[in-house]
Amino acid sequence: MNSNWTSGPYLMDSKGLFAGIFHSMAENPGLLKAVDFLNIWGLILAGAGLIAGLFTRAAIWGGIALLSMYFLSHPALINASYAIPSEGSYLFVNKNLIELIALAVVLVFPTWKEIGLDGIIFRKKNSH
Amino acid sequence: MEENTQQASNGKNKMNRRDIIKGFATVPVFGALAFGIWRKKKLDHYRSHALREELNMSPEVTTQPKKIWDGEAIRLGIIGYGIRGRQLMKAAGFAAPSDVQDWKDRAEKNSDDKRYIDFKEQDDLNVVVRGVCELFDARVEEAHSAASNVNRLGNEAVPDTTIKKYKNYKDLLQDPEIDAVIIATPDHWHARIAIDAARAGKHIYVEKGLTRTLEEVFAVRTAVKESGVIFQLGHQGRQTGSYIKAAEAIDKGLVGDINLIEVTTNRNSPNGAWVYDIDPRGTEETIDWSMFEEPCEVKHPFSQERFFRWRCWWDYGTGLSGDLLTHEYDAINQIVKMGIPETAMSSGGVYFFEKPEHFVKEVREVPDVWNAVFEYPDRNFTLLYSASLANNRDRGKVIMGHDGTMELGNNLSIYACQESTRYRDKINSGLIDPSIPIYTYIPGRKDVDAIATATERYFAGRGLLYTYRNGKRFDTTHLHIAEWIECIRENKQPSCNIDQAFEEGITSAMATISQREGRKITWDSEKEEIS
């Protein structure tokens, strides 16, 4: 919705063990463009896939990949505070981690075979 | 589930109506999503369109300096290589190999330290340094090694013995191989050197404050105007993108009639209060003390403290007035173009840096807490400056008008005033919210728009957006010197030329005299004199 959006400041605000890697992503203009592109389209495709139940397994893995990046770049450490305020006080376990685990749960219980477009595709494949 | 299993076991894989409904069960969510996006886009468009029309601000971002520096190299002379002289030479593209090596070593240890890469990538202005002048032996050597280091190397750099070292600036000014000089001496030398340089036909970049006394302001203006040299005063704020944008916003009346402008200085360290470290190498043998003191009416015995911390005494500078008020004044003069005030009144004192631990022999004379009030009856506003060197709460700069408030820093935000006449209808209809800026300028943003998201403002306010611009930090001092060099090449007037400098110099002198004589100073613009 905001054509000016870039992951730059978020990456610059990264803390913890992997902060250096995320900072270097933000400082390299070419890499930053790639990161922005992958993040925008990764989120759209993973989100749309999960809502529609389409290519759900790929969408889940994509979501897990993105969430683990968010988790690693903004870990909920005791002394870390971030530019974007969070609505709660977390220690180690934050919403990114919970969402990541939730996706893993869906992976174990493949509901998309029941509700969602994958159900139709799978059925078709089975019929051949 | 049961049904499916049954179907599978029966070998019947035909889809029934229920399966189709289950397959497409979540699709309506996309409809809701699309509707939401459409509504938001419509509102955003309406807001930005309506506001842009109302505000009439140009969408362009500020211009970048030109990248190609054709023609013959401009030959510089450097007069004064103290803290600021070193920064100016770096901004012109010259740093001592020891400094470059130090930045390189630090960058290897800490990838967040960008000084080395920033310096290496700084635009080459196609200038050379042909002579350096300093009163302190150790610094003349450092300045010389910086001047030699045209390739911006570390320890491997080789000194260039053809660059001359001078103890007396008059000898440097006689060198026909020098086209232009950068003057970064203490303030009590500015006028003499600038006047002599102008008479010698050298272009001039001189650090602020312009001069130490009122009389010198007139003398410098006369010399520069008569000689026609290209003159730039060192207010690098002229290059700050947000100030350039702020000037446009004031021109377009976004805040309405201005009635009060508040500017501040907020520092809290010995360094910020000019109580600098004393270099133990500086002795009577290595410093030309009589030359340093030459412009002083009353001569003082040799004092390391006075040499290295000269900003703390009236004999050499004007304290907060010439040092820091001038930056704030020039920023506002650039934006509001108000010129010299009709009256100036100032007061302050040495309230914190007066303890024995701060000074060795002599306690400072110039105030560390100081306020100045300037009246502009022809413009119907007051300019208020207030400074503390013992508290660094950032109070920023604020321009207050009947219709709105402008907050200035590296970012620029303009808020509508709740009781504004101009914005009343839009405030009543909910289109303008006085707690949200109607206009924001954030350097480094891809384009200028009336709407910046709260997150963006949040990040920008914490310095995370403007530090890097196209992946590169930018240094306003470099841009300011670059502008001066470009004007020399093209025979144009730079942004802080002698007319701007004259206004700065007179205003600062009025405030200094007010403090020292304890009275209100009035400027007669017809006769060009104070009373």
Side-chain angles (χ1 to χ4, degrees):
Chain A
M1 302 295 270
N2 171 10
S3 59
N4 275 305
W5 181 87
T6 165
S7 59
Y10 180 82
L11 292 170
M12 283 309 298
D13 198 29
S14 173
K15 296 198 175 78
L17 204 56
F18 303 97
I21 301 172
F22 294 106
H23 290 171
S24 55
M25 284 182 187
E27 284 160 20
N28 179 330
L31 192 58
L32 184 63
K33 265 191 182 167
V35 169
D36 286 351
F37 180 84
L38 289 175
N39 187 57
I40 291 168
W41 285 101
L43 274 178
I44 290 175
L45 292 176
L50 286 170
I51 292 172
L54 181 65
F55 309 122
T56 317
R57 193 179 285 274
I60 289 174
W61 281 114
I64 287 177
L66 286 171
L67 284 164
S68 38
M69 294 290 218
Y70 305 153
F71 180 70
L72 292 177
S73 79
H74 283 53
L77 303 174
I78 291 176
N79 286 321
S81 66
Y82 298 102
I84 292 187
S86 79
E87 81 300 343
S89 306
Y90 301 114
L91 180 61
F92 307 131
V93 179
N94 61 11
K95 284 208 302 194
N96 288 329
L97 188 64
I98 302 280
E99 284 170 23
L100 195 154
I101 292 167
L103 281 180
V105 169
V106 180
L107 206 56
V108 179
F109 298 96
T111 53
W112 66 86
K113 289 185 180 165
E114 273 304 301
I115 294 177
L117 294 168
D118 278 340
I120 295 174
I121 295 170
F122 265 84
R123 182 180 295 274
K124 271 187 177 172
K125 275 184 186 163
N126 287 348
S127 66
H128 286 298
Chain B
M1 194 68 135
E2 208 173 287
E3 203 182 329
N4 282 354
T5 325
Q6 264 182 6
Q7 282 177 345
S9 62
N10 295 341
K12 291 179 197 165
N13 270 323
K14 279 187 186 166
M15 262 186 286
N16 58 31
R17 205 171 58 143
R18 185 186 280 185
D19 292 326
I20 306 263
I21 291 172
K22 276 159 78 180
F24 287 91
T26 58
V27 172
V29 176
F30 287 104
L33 186 68
F35 180 67
I37 291 174
W38 174 75
R39 273 219 324 202
K40 168 128 178 44
K41 282 266 173 202
K42 206 174 121 180
L43 183 68
D44 277 358
H45 176 77
Y46 178 62
R47 278 201 160 164
S48 81
H49 187 75
L51 267 180
R52 200 179 261 176
E53 209 160 76
E54 167 76 39
L55 306 180
N56 192 25
M57 288 292 283
S58 66
E60 291 85 32
V61 286
T62 47
T63 50
Q64 294 281 324
K66 110 179 177 180
K67 295 272 173 195
I68 303 155
W69 302 84
D70 302 326
E72 283 192 22
I74 304 271
R75 300 165 301 177
L76 300 176
I78 309 295
I79 304 172
Y81 192 73
I83 295 168
R84 192 60 185 154
R86 180 186 289 246
Q87 291 166 350
L88 291 172
M89 267 189 90
K90 182 187 170 199
F94 304 90
S98 54
D99 287 341
V100 178
Q101 189 65 43
D102 180 45
W103 299 329
K104 198 173 170 181
D105 293 344
R106 284 169 192 271
E108 273 166 20
K109 285 192 202 117
N110 174 11
S111 63
D112 287 339
D113 194 324
K114 301 290 173 202
R115 280 175 292 186
Y116 179 66
I117 189 80
D118 287 344
F119 181 61
K120 292 292 267 190
E121 288 180 357
Q122 183 179 289
D123 273 6
D124 183 346
L125 302 178
N126 190 16
V127 291
V128 291
V129 178
R130 296 309 307 158
V132 292
C133 176
E134 241 292 332
L135 298 182
F136 175 23
D137 293 346
R139 282 182 183 164
V140 82
E141 295 305 327
E142 286 165 11
H144 186 267
S145 69
S148 301
N149 195 9
V150 286
N151 295 319
R152 307 184 190 182
L153 300 173
N155 289 341
E156 67 273 32
V158 184
D160 176 351
T161 50
T162 65
I163 297 168
K164 297 192 187 97
K165 301 173 203 169
Y166 296 95
K167 278 227 158 179
N168 190 326
Y169 76 93
K170 287 187 176 168
D171 298 329
L172 182 145
L173 291 178
Q174 281 177 358
D175 188 340
E177 285 193 11
I178 288 175
D179 307 310
V181 289
I182 293 179
I183 304 170
T185 62
D187 296 359
H188 67 311
W189 270 107
H190 282 182
R192 283 196 188 201
I193 301 174
I195 291 165
D196 288 343
R199 288 184 183 149
K202 314 289 186 198
H203 304 294
I204 300 163
Y205 182 106
V206 62
E207 253 314 309
K208 55 82 203 171
L210 180 63
T211 65
R212 195 185 72 88
T213 69
L214 180 79
E215 296 73 27
E216 288 170 339
V217 181
F218 292 99
V220 171
R221 182 178 66 168
T222 306
V224 170
K225 292 242 172 191
E226 281 175 2
S227 68
V229 296
I230 305 299
F231 177 96
Q232 174 95 300
L233 182 63
H235 286 301
Q236 66 275 9
R238 292 267 166 184
Q239 311 300 330
T240 305
S242 57
Y243 295 177
I244 297 167
K245 223 57 205 167
E248 185 190 342
I250 294 295
D251 277 348
K252 293 189 170 151
L254 263 58
V255 301
D257 290 336
I258 298 168
N259 52 73
L260 179 62
I261 301 173
E262 284 184 359
V263 287
T264 62
T265 292
N266 314 278
R267 293 180 168 185
N268 194 5
S269 69
N271 215 42
W274 318 308
V275 186
Y276 300 126
D277 290 340
I278 287 171
D279 187 335
R281 296 173 299 174
T283 63
E284 272 183 276
E285 286 71 46
T286 58
I287 291 173
D288 188 344
W289 179 253
S290 63
M291 178 68 114
F292 180 78
E293 283 265 317
E294 200 195 290
C296 303
E297 283 163 26
V298 180
K299 310 289 185 218
H300 306 85
F302 175 76
S303 159
Q304 280 186 322
E305 204 159 34
R306 279 178 170 258
F307 184 78
F308 290 109
R309 299 172 175 176
W310 59 265
R311 292 174 202 269
C312 297
W313 284 275
W314 295 118
D315 297 297
Y316 319 110
T318 58
L320 278 159
S321 180
D323 255 307
L324 295 167
L325 156 72
T326 52
H327 270 322
E328 300 298 318
Y329 167 84
D330 187 70
I332 300 300
N333 198 25
Q334 172 185 0
I335 295 163
V336 180
K337 300 170 190 74
M338 71 288 184
I340 299 168
E342 191 172 301
T343 65
M345 208 160 39
S346 77
S347 64
V350 182
Y351 295 144
F352 184 81
F353 288 95
E354 38 96 45
K355 302 173 186 72
E357 70 258 34
H358 296 130
F359 291 91
V360 188
K361 285 183 189 157
E362 242 184 304
V363 173
R364 71 192 293 144
E365 289 173 341
V366 304
D368 52 17
V369 176
W370 189 68
N371 305 287
V373 186
F374 303 97
E375 299 298 339
Y376 290 85
D378 55 329
R379 297 284 298 266
N380 290 318
F381 68 70
T382 299
L383 168 65
L384 198 61
Y385 171 75
S386 104
S388 169
L389 298 181
N391 179 295
N392 64 346
R393 173 186 149 90
D394 182 9
R395 293 172 295 160
K397 302 185 220 321
V398 187
I399 298 178
M400 295 150 79
H402 168 66
D403 289 318
T405 306
M406 176 184 279
E407 287 179 3
L408 260 171
N410 277 311
N411 300 322
L412 162 67
S413 299
I414 300 170
Y415 295 83
C417 199
Q418 182 76 53
E419 305 298 334
S420 150
T421 307
R422 173 174 173 172
Y423 303 120
R424 183 172 295 152
D425 290 348
K426 288 199 163 63
I427 291 172
N428 289 342
S429 69
L431 193 60
I432 288 178
D433 177 347
S435 68
I436 297 171
I438 50 171
Y439 181 83
T440 311
Y441 172 76
I442 301 171
R445 217 159 171 256
K446 283 181 218 156
D447 57 78
V448 178
D449 201 289
I451 292 175
T453 64
T455 324
E456 243 182 310
R457 289 201 303 274
Y458 208 97
F459 276 127
R462 277 156 183 73
L464 288 163
L465 259 180
Y466 53 77
T467 319
Y468 297 90
R469 184 160 158 181
N470 301 325
K472 204 173 164 185
R473 282 179 213 232
F474 73 101
D475 168 14
T476 48
T477 303
H478 165 71
L479 297 178
H480 204 47
I481 290 204
E483 187 200 37
W484 174 58
I485 298 288
E486 189 183 337
C487 289
I488 293 173
R489 287 185 196 286
E490 299 179 5
N491 194 26
K492 290 189 307 194
Q493 283 296 312
S495 54
C496 203
N497 67 14
I498 190 63
D499 294 325
Q500 312 291 324
F502 179 78
E503 293 175 351
E504 182 257 55
I506 297 289
T507 306
S508 166
M510 286 168 71
T512 310
I513 295 166
S514 172
Q515 157 77 27
R516 299 197 67 187
E517 297 183 6
R519 65 189 181 94
K520 186 173 178 179
I521 305 297
T522 304
W523 170 249
D524 184 332
S525 58
E526 296 290 318
K527 293 184 192 153
E528 287 203 329
E529 56 185 36
I530 66 156
S531 56

